[in-house]
Amino acid sequence: MARLLKKTTGLVRLAVCEGPHERLKVKKLEDQFQSGQIEEEIFQAENKLSLARKMVQWKPWEPLVKKPPANWKWPI
């Protein structure tokens, strides 16, 4: 069994990811990303994948079913 290199990420509600430690050199990856810990990168990638799956269902590239009202404005 692989030993855990980190006990905590130091971030609230973000647990240490145990999987990558077997195959990856985590510190080297974190240095390459220069944006945070590997757990943060995994979390962001999972969110992007989830959004991509939703976009396939929503099909935002298709035309609208009906035209929006004339006074409709995009929320800013």
Side-chain angles (χ1 to χ4, degrees):
M1 185 171 172
R3 66 180 180 87
L4 201 60
L5 299 177
K6 292 193 226 182
K7 294 186 185 230
T8 179
T9 61
L11 302 170
V12 177
R13 298 181 66 205
L14 188 59
V16 173
C17 182
E18 298 176 26
H21 296 284
E22 296 173 23
R23 295 175 277 148
L24 305 172
K25 295 182 180 179
V26 175
K27 181 63 177 152
K28 184 177 178 183
L29 279 176
E30 288 176 352
D31 291 343
Q32 286 179 339
F33 286 130
Q34 295 180 345
S35 64
Q37 299 183 38
I38 193 70
E39 290 84 3
E40 291 176 291
E41 298 296 329
I42 292 169
F43 181 73
Q44 289 176 7
E46 288 171 346
N47 286 340
K48 289 178 182 180
L49 181 59
S50 174
L51 177 60
R53 289 179 176 147
K54 290 176 185 176
M55 297 290 273
V56 169
Q57 292 176 342
W58 297 336
K59 300 178 184 175
W61 54 86
E62 292 184 355
L64 295 175
V65 176
K66 62 180 184 177
K67 290 188 176 189
N71 63 347
W72 183 83
K73 295 181 181 178
W74 180 258
I76 297 176

